[in-house]
Amino acid sequence: GPDTVGGKFLRRFWQRVYRSEDLQSRKAMPIRIMGEDFTLFRSESGKASIVAPLCAHRLTRLHTGRVIGEALQCLYHGWKYDKTGQCVFQPGENEQFTQATKIAAYPTEEYLGLIWGYFGEGAPPELHRFPDFDRPGLLVAVPVEYWPCNVFNRLDNATDGMHVFYTHHESTSRDSGVGSGAGAEVGEMVSRESPYGIESMMPFGPLNAYFHFIMPNCNMLAATVGRLEGPPGAPQAWRCELHWRGPVDDENFVRFGVWL
C-alpha cells in the first residue's frame, strides 16, 4: 500500500499496468496495483491515461463510463474528465464549479507493447529504456498472468536460475533442443552483485543462459534457443526476455513479459 515502506519504494519507479493491445480505443478498464484501484482508458485519438477510480460527484466507478473524444464520462450523471483529471463538463452546473472539480491523474506512457504508470510523489523520473529491445526483431508482449501469492515469493524465485532447468525442464528442452540430460549438463552458475541488481551466467550443455535481476522487480534474460535453419554451422538463435512482477495487493501479483 502507499503508506508502507515497500509501497513507497515501488512508487519511486514506473510500473507496468496493462498490455497495450488489450486496451481498445474508447474503452475504460479498472486496474489494481500496489493495493490501490485506478481507472485506465484510451481516448479516441489512441492516448492511454490513468486517473482515479471514482467520480468526484457520487463516487461512481469511472470504468463503467464512456470515453467520448479525449475525455471519460461518468455513467451516472455525465461528468467528464480529461487525462489530467480535470472535470471539463457537468450538466446543470455552472462553469466555475466545473473548473474547481478535479480527480487524481497519473503520468502514463506506452513502451515495448505495455502501458506504464507512475504513482509516486512529485515529477516522475525518465522512463527506463532497454536498448537491446529497441533493436530490430520480432517483439512480442506475452499474455499477462495473475498469480495468487505475494510478489516476494516470486521475486525470490526470479533470481534463482538453477531451478529453471529442473522445474521448467520440459519447456527448456523444447526451446533449446537440449535433451533429457539437460539437468546433468548444467554447469557452475556464476553470479555477482551489479549496480542495478544481480548478474548471473550459467552454461548448460553447449548453450549459455544470462540472467539479470534489475531492481526493483524486473528480470532480463538471454538464452540460445537452438540453431537457425540452414547448413551446418548456421548461427544460433537467441531470445531475449523481460519479465516484471508487481504486487496487485499483499496476496496477489501480476506478471508482464516481453520477448524479442
Side-chain angles (χ1 to χ4, degrees):
D3 297 323
T4 66
V5 173
K8 291 179 180 178
F9 177 68
L10 286 176
R11 282 166 175 77
R12 297 177 64 183
F13 301 85
W14 286 85
Q15 298 290 341
R16 282 62 41 201
V17 300
Y18 220 72
R19 191 168 66 155
S20 292
E21 65 185 83
D22 294 333
L23 184 65
Q24 300 176 4
S25 177
R26 300 182 61 185
K27 291 293 184 180
M29 298 295 297
I31 57 174
R32 183 171 177 80
I33 185 170
M34 298 183 294
E36 288 191 284
D37 295 315
F38 305 94
T39 304
L40 171 67
F41 72 95
R42 190 182 295 283
S43 69
E44 289 187 5
S45 69
K47 170 67 176 176
S49 301
I50 302 172
V51 296
L54 306 177
C55 178
H57 182 209
R58 297 292 297 276
L59 304 184
T60 303
R61 293 192 174 275
L62 285 172
H63 75 269
T64 64
R66 305 176 181 89
V67 178
I68 300 176
E70 301 303 297
L72 177 60
Q73 184 174 55
C74 179
L75 182 67
Y76 202 6
H77 293 96
W79 288 24
K80 291 168 65 175
Y81 301 90
D82 66 14
K83 65 180 182 180
T84 70
Q86 176 64 51
C87 190
V88 294
F89 175 71
Q90 293 173 343
E93 298 289 350
N94 62 61
E95 184 178 353
Q96 185 177 5
F97 185 69
T98 302
Q99 293 176 350
T101 304
K102 190 172 185 178
I103 60 175
Y106 304 87
T108 310
E109 290 198 32
E110 293 191 66
Y111 176 58
L112 297 180
L114 301 175
I115 301 174
W116 305 58
Y118 182 74
F119 305 96
E121 298 179 358
E126 184 178 353
L127 180 64
H128 182 75
R129 304 286 171 171
F130 296 86
D132 286 342
F133 289 78
D134 289 330
R135 61 186 177 179
L138 178 61
L139 186 70
V140 177
V142 299
V144 179
E145 296 179 356
Y146 289 87
W147 289 71
C149 70
N150 186 282
V151 69
F152 282 107
N153 292 106
R154 191 60 185 85
L155 293 181
D156 172 76
N157 179 72
T159 58
D160 176 8
M162 188 65 73
H163 88 278
V164 172
F165 308 105
Y166 298 91
T167 307
H168 307 294
H169 173 60
E170 292 184 4
S171 58
T172 55
S173 296
R174 182 174 60 249
D175 289 348
S176 67
V178 176
S180 60
E185 298 177 37
V186 174
E188 179 181 7
M189 183 174 182
V190 180
S191 299
R192 68 177 182 87
E193 187 174 358
S194 68
Y196 52 80
I198 300 172
E199 178 183 342
S200 304
M201 187 278 289
M202 176 185 289
F204 63 108
L207 312 177
N208 291 319
Y210 299 88
F211 303 87
H212 302 267
F213 179 74
I214 304 171
M215 288 292 287
N217 57 349
C218 177
N219 264 85
M220 178 177 176
L221 61 97
T224 48
V225 290
R227 293 193 176 277
L228 299 175
E229 294 183 5
Q236 289 182 328
W238 282 74
R239 183 173 71 209
C240 296
E241 301 181 15
L242 283 169
H243 299 271
W244 295 271
R245 288 95 180 179
V248 175
D249 50 38
D250 286 345
E251 287 80 39
N252 300 273
F253 79 87
V254 58
R255 193 290 306 262
F256 294 92
V258 173
W259 292 2
L260 181 67

